Amino acid sequence: MTIAEMRRELQAGRVTAVELTRACLERVEATDEQLNAFITVCAEEALVAAAEADRRIAGGETAPLLGIPLAVKDIFNVTDLPTTCGSKILANYVSPYTATAVARLTAQGAVIVGKLNMDEFAMGSSNENSAAGPVKNPWDLERIPGGSSGGSAAAVAARQVVAALGTDTGGSIRQPASHCGVVGLKPTYGRVSRYGVIAYASSLDQVGPLAGSVEDCALLLGAIAGYDSADSTSVDCPVPDYLATLKNGVAGKKIGLPREYFIEGLDPDVKRAVAEAIEVYRGLGAEIVEVSLPHTDYSVACYYLIATAEASSNLARYDGVRFGARKDSGQGLIGMYQETRAAGFGAEVKRRIMLGTYALSSGYYDAYYLKAQKVRTLVRQDFLNAFAQVDLLLTPVAPTPAFKIGEKVNDPLQMYLSDIFTIPVNLAGTCALSLPCGVSSEGLPIGLQLIGQPFAEADILQAAYAFEEATDWGGRVPELG
Ligand code: GLN
């Protein structure tokens, strides 16, 4: 069932929130040994919340998410639950407060059933950088689900939960959504509060939903979006009713194809699926034009300076004093810091802290960090120029379908290139979503990216809905043994 269907059944009294939550917990129990999508399952708390939701439904309340079981990436703080962020350094950390995005879901009566696996501190594209072990792609257990919100995407794909929250700094919602065959939306920077979300790269991080359908994504975005005085970067502009415009179609819309995204080296199955999607849009009455985003080539390099610089600063707080694990064999304070950080962080996180510290160090700051900031402005300008000509942009999400576990772990550069089509959107700060648009010759899901103007999430949701209705690619669920 989708959220919309669950809601109908709940309101009609044909099912209870406790029954839905039990079914969800049973599904997790039956499949998570294979998938490893969950880091924490909070069955007891969930059943209490579900019983409360049933009371509210009986009392006549109708909030859209009342009684709907959901899960969140383990980067969101939730009061009294562990938040590991996929890291050993936070292994014993229990949150004293709840992230705004999660609080907005539970205020409506949504039931949180657990916390989902992820790359450590959201650094990765394959979920292989998790202290809790890799997540398996439900379509092929030998393959990665994508990252860093790999647990969120796998859990939704396998219908352990109907929808989940993730975060996206350089593609971490869209790329796993694409590899797992679900819908994932990265809102405009500032659209959703980051309060209570563990920071990776603060100028890029954004919270968003992953779900089995476009409508459910729209519904969740409506629930979590909006100004929050606790996040100084959240933007105070009205949240439209995303469901109201969902069915308006794409007739007369101008869709741009950025020439730089249709490159050699694109997997032939991805190329074919995206080409077919373009024809679907043409058939629905959209006008397709070619556009150019000339600074695309610099995006990955620019991102790995800015993101690592911000990460090196954000992660300085994990020092064994205030948060999580400590290792101290009596070598003094500096020794304790060193031992704690050496033991607590994984290899990729250490690599990024070193890169970022280097980029910010005196003598190199201007050459690397400052220059990257200037390039970022050029990348953003590219998008704004394109949006002067078209309503939205259409591109692939990832250059290939999901790769094998282990295939790229020893080649960080290859791994970084998996986000070549998603990273520019974060640099520009605008919104984009990933939706299923085909399968590879090996039966792996392929995703389509729709990029919208800043704060025009309604436009890309509307275009995505039209595609989902016109094709059979949405809502497919893998068979698990
Ligand atoms: N894969 C990219 C990285 O490793 C993006 C991660 C993300 O969006 N959190 O930084």
Side-chain angles (χ1 to χ4, degrees):
M1 279 192 269
T2 64
I3 295 179
E5 286 160 358
M6 285 183 180
R7 184 183 181 202
R8 240 192 337 268
E9 298 300 296
L10 283 166
Q11 293 290 341
R14 283 190 291 267
V15 71
T16 67
V18 168
E19 285 167 342
L20 283 180
T21 302
R22 283 228 165 85
C24 174
L25 291 166
E26 276 162 25
R27 177 82 180 151
V28 174
E29 180 85 41
T31 53
D32 212 48
E33 215 157 296
Q34 293 174 70
L35 298 178
N36 197 30
F38 277 79
I39 292 182
T40 301
V41 178
C42 48
E44 239 171 79
E45 292 88 342
L47 288 167
V48 170
E52 171 61 20
D54 282 329
R55 272 190 293 277
R56 287 171 63 179
I57 293 169
E61 282 187 51
T62 58
L65 296 172
L66 185 55
I68 309 290
L70 300 171
V72 300
K73 186 176 182 179
D74 203 19
I75 197 167
F76 292 89
N77 282 292
V78 181
T79 306
D80 292 339
L81 290 183
T83 302
T84 71
C85 219
S87 184
K88 274 199 292 202
I89 211 158
L90 286 176
N92 58 5
Y93 177 73
V94 176
S95 306
Y97 72 117
T98 297
T100 300
V102 180
R104 288 189 174 168
L105 300 179
T106 54
Q108 282 200 18
V111 174
I112 304 299
V113 299
K115 313 277 304 281
L116 297 159
N117 205 341
M118 56 181 285
D119 283 299
E120 184 174 9
F121 287 105
M123 297 175 189
S125 309
S126 68
N127 227 293
E128 292 165 292
N129 301 333
S130 168
V135 177
K136 313 288 168 57
N137 188 316
W139 292 96
D140 177 347
L141 298 174
E142 287 179 7
R143 291 179 190 264
I144 57 108
S148 66
S149 312
S152 301
V156 174
R159 298 298 190 269
Q160 291 178 320
V161 281
V162 62
L165 292 188
T167 59
D168 190 312
T169 305
S172 277
I173 289 174
R174 290 160 287 157
Q175 185 254 21
S178 168
H179 287 339
C180 289
V182 301
V183 185
L185 170 68
K186 184 205 95 73
T188 309
Y189 186 76
R191 180 76 287 186
V192 181
S193 170
R194 295 174 299 112
Y195 178 70
V197 182
I198 293 188
Y200 159 20
S202 308
S203 77
L204 299 157
D205 299 342
Q206 186 56 201
V207 171
L210 296 97
S213 74
V214 175
E215 183 178 13
D216 284 358
C217 263
L219 203 146
L220 277 176
L221 179 64
I224 61 177
Y227 178 67
D228 175 16
S229 61
D231 175 358
S232 63
T233 65
S234 87
V235 173
D236 195 2
C237 76
V239 178
D241 180 349
Y242 298 110
L243 293 176
T245 49
L246 204 56
K247 301 181 180 166
N248 289 1
V250 290
K253 293 271 182 197
K254 250 187 175 176
I255 300 183
L257 309 177
R259 161 177 335 130
E260 294 79 5
Y261 285 58
F262 294 86
I263 46 171
E264 251 177 78
L266 198 60
D267 176 274
D269 287 335
V270 172
K271 199 170 162 185
R272 173 189 42 79
V274 173
E276 285 169 11
I278 294 167
E279 290 318 308
V280 170
Y281 275 112
R282 223 190 286 275
L284 290 170
E287 185 188 343
I288 310 288
V289 297
E290 195 180 276
V291 295
S292 175
L293 300 170
H295 297 91
T296 299
D297 267 3
Y298 305 103
S299 295
V300 172
C302 172
Y303 171 86
Y304 276 97
L305 286 164
I306 293 172
T308 58
E310 293 181 10
S312 74
S313 167
N314 275 326
L315 270 57
R317 74 191 67 173
Y318 306 104
D319 56 7
V321 176
R322 290 159 297 180
F323 304 100
R326 171 185 298 190
K327 200 154 184 247
D328 189 3
S329 64
Q331 309 299 309
L333 183 64
I334 301 290
M336 188 281 285
Y337 291 159
Q338 287 172 343
E339 285 177 55
T340 297
R341 289 168 69 82
F345 289 134
E348 182 61 26
V349 173
K350 286 178 185 159
R351 177 182 292 127
R352 297 204 187 184
I353 291 173
M354 287 190 279
L355 278 169
T357 306
Y358 181 75
L360 289 175
S361 57
S362 70
Y364 296 102
Y365 184 96
D366 286 1
Y368 294 115
Y369 185 68
L370 190 67
K371 195 172 217 171
Q373 291 291 11
K374 291 179 179 170
V375 172
R376 181 178 188 173
T377 302
L378 295 174
V379 171
R380 179 173 166 82
Q381 204 54 54
D382 280 357
F383 278 93
L384 299 180
N385 291 343
F387 285 131
Q389 304 159 51
V390 297
D391 297 301
L392 51 128
L393 299 169
L394 183 159
T395 77
V397 179
T400 66
F403 45 89
K404 289 249 167 74
I405 293 176
E407 197 178 316
K408 297 189 184 176
V409 266
N410 296 320
D411 191 346
L413 208 55
Q414 273 309 312
M415 192 70 94
Y416 295 172
L417 287 171
S418 8
D419 297 315
I420 193 162
F421 302 141
T422 50
I423 276 174
V425 174
N426 300 75
L427 292 173
T430 194
C431 60
L433 64 71
S434 166
L435 84 156
C437 75
V439 293
S440 73
S441 52
E442 294 172 300
L444 301 166
I446 294 171
L448 179 71
Q449 178 168 241
L450 300 175
I451 307 172
Q453 311 201 10
F455 296 98
E457 285 82 4
D459 287 359
I460 51 176
L461 284 164
Q462 184 181 318
Y465 185 85
F467 183 85
E468 195 184 59
E469 286 288 291
T471 64
D472 290 327
W473 298 118
R476 296 166 61 251
V477 182
E479 257 173 62
L480 284 168

